Amino acid sequence: MRSLSRQFCFLTFCLSSMTGTVAAQTESGAAQTKTMSPSPELLHCQQGPSGASSPAAPAETNVANTPVNDEEVTIFANEVSYRENKHLELKGQVDIKRGAYQAQSNYAAINQDTHVAQLEGDILIEGPELQLKGETANLNMLNNQTVVNEVEFRNIQTGMRGSARQLERENNDKLHIREGSFTTCPPEQESWSFRASEITLDKEQGFGTARHTRFNILDTPVLYVPWFTFPIDERRKSGFLYPTVGSANTGKGIFISTPYYFNIAPQFDATLTPSFIQGRGLHNELELRHLSPISDSTLAVGYLDKDNYFQEELFREKARRDNGQRWGLSLKQSYNFSPQASGWHGLIDYGVVSDQDYLEDLNQGLQITKQDNIDRRAFFELAEEHWRFNALLQDYQHLDETLAPEKRGYQRLPELSFELSDHLAGLQLNWQSQYVYFYRDTENLSGLDRSRGSRL
């Protein structure tokens, strides 16, 4: 609430389908009401807190171009003047509110026929999702159509922010940004940004379109694209995803990753992520995802043809030469065969990499947890009301090259388990049995370390 010692006016527009009323109330008495020009169109002036009153008109009069919906527009200002041709002029700490939207400025001129407000000076416009700051603006108080010039904007929900020569909010779903730039980086760490001649964000369709776009790293343009689209919510659409920019883990420069998403089919998609790592080269990752009535599958592959930094490290630390080729692969599949085969479910989890440092140096999308060993398994189970049977195949890729052969774990090829729990002749019957065959590569082993066999 503003201080009562400061002069300002409070106006309320009740917008209805057929009639409208406008009330003006001063909080500082008769001195303020002198700025109001009596007019039949100013439908009612209420008595102010000081006891002063200003002329009253009939309680109801038809107002042209009133909106179909009933939403109240409330206006605060230090000074309000009523001009000819249904124009209101507001000066000083102007504050316009309609529903969840609010606009503030130093000056506003309102056309009561069109319900368009022209704002000037220190403009701040806020809604549920968007915050705008600008020099001049036009605001339609019926449908919230907005045009702001020399604007800075921020999406409260997504964190996207930027600036533009002009921003136009066409409706609740569509936003046009002209000669603007945007980024999702925080203000204190703007690693990348897009700058385009025009950007259109379509909330209904779930994507944005940019024309004549330059991609900047810090303040340096590194890529020009005449036209491209990008997602702005969780809906699926082919296009570039937001890039990642940072420092290379070689300590020699930058890292930049620009993923591209392929919406191939409702049950099938892919993401290709080329990444430039200064000192290493171009690393590519491809992730494929597929859904079927019985399975959920994800396959990821990463590849770098020649890692110069890795070659130098191997030679410097281990006096070992290498072709620099590095790669990784992961496959995850989960199965549920119901209702085709009730009680059957399973999973496959497989991973393999070219060397022990791949996950630390290059991995972005492989679904492998960094450990000394990569656990690889296939598991299937049939479960009924009183019993269950499962089968497991499990082995490892040992990433620690210094681990002695006799210290490396056994593979279970296979492990079979059976459990039974039931009532028989008034007795509780519980049965558990398991068979495992333990296997290991016996090369370079001797004595008992060469042992392998089964256990029941």
Side-chain angles (χ1 to χ4, degrees):
M1 191 70 175
R2 299 182 189 273
S3 171
L4 295 179
S5 63
R6 187 168 54 218
Q7 292 188 353
F8 68 97
C9 284
F10 168 91
L11 292 86
T12 301
F13 292 81
C14 294
L15 306 176
S16 60
S17 58
M18 294 299 294
T19 63
T21 62
V22 180
Q25 176 177 310
T26 67
E27 296 203 14
S28 58
Q32 179 60 46
T33 60
K34 292 179 181 179
T35 64
M36 303 293 295
S37 301
S39 165
E41 302 300 328
L42 188 61
L43 300 180
H44 187 64
C45 288
Q46 299 176 339
Q47 183 174 348
S50 64
S53 62
S54 40
E60 292 189 355
T61 302
N62 288 344
V63 178
N65 298 325
T66 52
V68 175
N69 60 315
D70 280 335
E71 274 205 54
E72 187 176 84
V73 177
T74 304
I75 300 175
F76 291 88
N78 287 351
E79 181 180 330
V80 177
S81 300
Y82 191 85
R83 305 300 185 191
E84 294 181 357
N85 300 322
K86 298 183 181 180
H87 279 69
L88 287 177
E89 189 176 81
L90 303 96
K91 297 179 180 178
Q93 296 183 323
V94 179
D95 193 342
I96 303 174
K97 296 179 181 179
R98 177 180 183 268
Y101 296 90
Q102 180 176 10
Q104 299 174 336
S105 65
N106 294 334
Y107 170 87
I110 301 176
N111 186 320
Q112 288 185 271
D113 281 335
T114 62
H115 299 283
V116 172
Q118 295 179 329
L119 310 181
E120 295 179 8
D122 295 330
I123 295 170
L124 174 63
I125 300 175
E126 293 181 298
E129 298 179 359
L130 199 63
Q131 182 185 80
L132 309 175
K133 295 180 179 180
E135 294 298 320
T136 61
N138 286 347
L139 172 64
N140 190 313
M141 295 185 293
L142 300 186
N143 53 25
N144 294 320
Q145 288 182 348
T146 306
V147 177
V148 187
N149 300 307
E150 305 303 327
V151 60
E152 296 179 357
F153 58 88
R154 181 171 69 93
N155 188 303
I156 299 170
Q157 294 183 348
T158 66
M160 186 184 73
R161 62 180 184 85
S163 60
R165 178 183 62 81
Q166 185 182 81
L167 183 146
E168 178 185 357
R169 184 178 183 272
E170 182 178 328
N171 51 46
N172 287 337
D173 295 321
K174 191 167 288 187
L175 195 69
H176 301 281
I177 303 169
R178 298 182 177 94
E179 295 182 23
S181 65
F182 74 91
T183 181
T184 57
C185 296
E188 66 276 6
Q189 190 180 1
E190 188 170 310
S191 301
W192 65 268
S193 65
F194 283 111
R195 180 169 294 276
S197 62
E198 183 169 358
I199 302 168
T200 300
L201 306 179
D202 193 327
K203 181 179 175 182
E204 181 180 6
Q205 299 296 325
F207 67 90
T209 303
R211 293 174 174 82
H212 301 296
T213 303
R214 299 186 304 277
F215 176 60
N216 297 336
I217 297 178
L218 299 178
D219 293 324
T220 305
V222 296
L223 179 67
Y224 169 79
V225 181
W227 179 90
F228 80 97
T229 64
F230 53 93
I232 59 175
D233 58 23
E234 296 300 321
R235 279 177 287 182
R236 295 169 49 185
K237 184 184 187 303
S238 296
F240 283 101
L241 306 180
Y242 290 123
T244 302
V245 180
S247 300
N249 57 11
T250 60
K252 294 185 176 181
I254 68 167
F255 164 85
I256 177 171
S257 175
T258 56
Y260 190 91
Y261 176 77
F262 298 88
N263 183 21
I264 301 170
Q267 297 83 27
F268 185 39
D269 64 11
T271 303
L272 176 64
T273 306
S275 302
F276 174 75
I277 309 170
Q278 196 159 352
R280 297 190 187 277
L282 183 64
H283 175 250
N284 290 285
E285 278 192 350
L286 176 65
E287 180 187 68
L288 303 171
R289 300 189 303 174
H290 180 259
L291 284 173
S292 77
I294 64 170
S295 67
D296 181 353
S297 304
T298 301
L299 173 66
V301 180
Y303 180 76
L304 196 160
D305 184 59
K306 187 177 181 181
D307 187 336
N308 296 319
Y309 186 81
F310 180 67
Q311 287 180 305
E312 294 171 4
E313 269 192 321
L314 278 181
F315 186 75
R316 183 174 61 251
E317 296 177 5
K318 301 179 181 180
R320 202 173 93 197
R321 297 193 178 276
D322 188 274
N323 62 8
Q325 191 176 83
R326 308 183 73 187
W327 52 268
L329 178 146
S330 71
L331 172 65
K332 284 186 179 291
Q333 292 182 303
S334 61
Y335 296 90
N336 188 340
F337 296 96
S338 300
Q340 292 89 341
S342 177
W344 275 103
H345 65 274
L347 66 87
I348 295 175
D349 188 350
Y350 181 82
V352 60
V353 292
S354 58
D355 57 84
Q356 66 175 4
D357 296 319
Y358 178 89
L359 295 176
E360 183 176 346
D361 293 345
L362 299 171
N363 180 44
Q364 292 189 77
L366 299 188
Q367 297 189 24
I368 301 174
T369 303
K370 177 67 173 75
Q371 296 175 343
D372 292 336
N373 302 308
I374 297 178
D375 183 6
R376 307 186 286 206
R377 60 177 59 205
F379 175 83
F380 290 90
E381 181 176 79
L382 174 59
E384 296 293 344
E385 182 178 0
H386 300 295
W387 61 271
R388 69 176 61 233
F389 170 80
N390 59 60
L392 170 69
L393 300 174
Q394 181 186 38
D395 86 330
Y396 303 92
Q397 179 184 3
H398 300 280
L399 299 182
D400 186 357
E401 296 177 352
T402 65
L403 188 66
E406 64 271 14
K407 300 294 184 181
R408 300 187 177 188
Y410 280 89
Q411 303 169 41
R412 292 186 279 183
L413 303 174
E415 176 184 286
L416 306 176
S417 300
F418 178 78
E419 297 179 19
L420 174 66
S421 179
D422 202 356
H423 291 278
L424 183 63
L427 300 176
Q428 175 68 37
L429 176 62
N430 292 313
W431 176 276
Q432 292 182 338
S433 61
Q434 185 180 77
Y435 170 81
V436 185
Y437 180 75
F438 294 99
Y439 174 84
R440 68 169 17 167
D441 186 355
T442 58
E443 186 178 355
N444 300 322
L445 296 177
S446 60
L448 291 177
D449 291 327
R450 296 177 58 87
S451 300
R452 55 189 182 189
S454 59
R455 183 184 70 185
L456 183 60

